[in-house]
Amino acid sequence: PNLVFQSIKLLKNKKINFPKLYLHVDEYQDLNTMDQEFIDQIIQSGNHEVVVCGDDEQSIYSFRHAYPAGIKSIWDSTNWEPIAFNKCSRLPNHILRASRKLIEAHRGSHIAKQMEIPSETREKIITFQCTKPDIELRQIIKHIQEIKSIKRKKDGNPISFKDIMILCPTKKIVDEFLNGLAKKKIKVKTIRAREIPESIWKVFLIIRLTEKDDGIALRQWLEIVGIR
């Protein structure tokens, strides 16, 4: 935050002369008010071309004071050319319909995007409300077994275990599900984020130090060699 604050201060005092910038700011709805002021000060510093992308309905970083109203104020401003993408291709029709209903019911004033809503289908979102983790696990296992026995792929072939994905928020829950699914003879493959080995990470730091003046890399390297 202090870096952003100091940058805003320099821009306001006209101590930075930018060349013409072609700036693309993504996920604007997740920036806080200071971040957004920083972007605004850059815009005012010269004859730049700026594109801001965002969706006030997808702001999820309230814990870092995200300010989704900022993208709405840009949308309503006559200083900007508003362009809406009103067709969604990343979700199945039934999930898109359900998400729109959920947003309309639980959000206040937001940008009217005039989304193209697909027609109703037979597919529905199934939800379970479980009071205990073991009940949740049993319900998931039961649902997987029902999917395999009843549903088919679009090409008519039966659904296999590899066609089903379970998303878990923590490693502990992943391990609990692995044990429970294994007991029911359900084959499971886990996908975890790979960590960079310590030796390779040190090589990356050295490369960063030799390529440019990188203060962050220098501080990390000093800690490795025992200088704090």
Side-chain angles (χ1 to χ4, degrees):
N2 190 51
L3 288 175
V4 178
F5 175 78
Q6 293 297 333
S7 300
I8 292 172
K9 188 176 178 181
L10 290 171
L11 285 165
K12 284 184 175 179
N13 293 332
K14 311 298 183 184
K15 292 186 176 181
I16 298 179
N17 294 318
F18 281 121
K20 183 178 178 66
L21 295 178
Y22 297 87
L23 181 63
H24 180 175
V25 183
D26 200 12
E27 305 293 0
Y28 192 87
Q29 77 281 348
D30 290 328
L31 301 182
N32 58 41
T33 53
M34 187 178 293
D35 294 333
Q36 293 177 8
E37 183 181 358
F38 176 51
I39 301 300
D40 185 58
Q41 288 297 324
I42 290 176
I43 292 170
Q44 294 182 39
S45 69
N47 184 27
H48 309 305
E49 293 190 24
V50 182
V51 174
V52 168
C53 296
D55 183 351
D56 57 334
E57 294 169 350
Q58 295 188 45
S59 182
I60 59 174
Y61 290 103
S62 58
F63 64 89
R64 68 176 301 274
H65 310 293
Y67 187 64
I71 189 69
K72 188 175 187 303
S73 65
I74 286 179
W75 178 266
D76 295 335
S77 172
T78 57
N79 296 325
W80 292 80
E81 178 188 1
I83 300 174
F85 298 94
N86 55 11
K87 185 176 182 180
C88 178
S89 302
R90 67 190 299 185
L91 298 174
N93 289 353
H94 66 296
I95 295 180
L96 177 58
R97 286 183 61 86
S99 65
R100 296 306 308 168
K101 289 292 184 182
L102 185 65
I103 289 169
E104 290 168 3
H106 291 86
R107 294 297 298 270
S109 175
H110 54 266
I111 297 172
K113 303 173 186 65
Q114 300 176 339
M115 289 288 297
E116 292 183 12
I117 306 300
S119 57
E120 188 71 64
T121 64
R122 292 184 179 182
E123 292 184 276
K124 301 294 181 182
I125 297 176
I126 300 173
T127 61
F128 305 111
Q129 192 169 18
C130 304
T131 55
K132 294 181 180 180
D134 59 322
I135 297 176
E136 179 185 36
L137 176 57
R138 291 202 302 270
Q139 185 61 56
I140 293 296
I141 291 172
K142 178 183 177 183
H143 188 55
I144 290 174
Q145 292 169 336
E146 289 176 351
I147 290 174
K148 280 194 83 272
S149 62
I150 298 173
K151 292 196 173 185
R152 297 272 173 175
K153 298 181 187 179
K154 291 183 178 180
D155 60 8
N157 291 320
I159 290 176
S160 63
F161 289 134
K162 68 178 181 180
D163 298 315
I164 300 171
M165 177 185 291
I166 301 175
L167 302 178
C168 302
T170 66
K171 182 179 180 299
K172 179 182 177 182
I173 296 175
V174 169
D175 294 336
E176 290 173 354
F177 270 64
L178 282 175
N179 294 331
L181 294 168
K183 289 178 181 177
K184 293 295 182 179
K185 309 298 182 184
I186 297 177
K187 297 179 180 180
V188 178
K189 179 181 179 181
T190 60
I191 301 175
R192 302 179 190 269
R194 296 181 62 185
E195 296 184 359
I196 300 175
E198 184 72 17
S199 57
I200 297 179
W201 175 245
K202 291 179 181 178
V203 174
F204 285 159
L205 282 179
I206 293 172
I207 293 173
R208 285 167 57 186
L209 288 169
T210 56
E211 285 294 316
K212 62 179 180 178
D213 183 13
D214 191 330
I216 295 176
L218 177 60
R219 287 197 295 271
Q220 292 173 328
W221 183 255
L222 290 176
E223 288 188 11
I224 289 174
V225 299
I227 301 175
R228 295 175 181 270

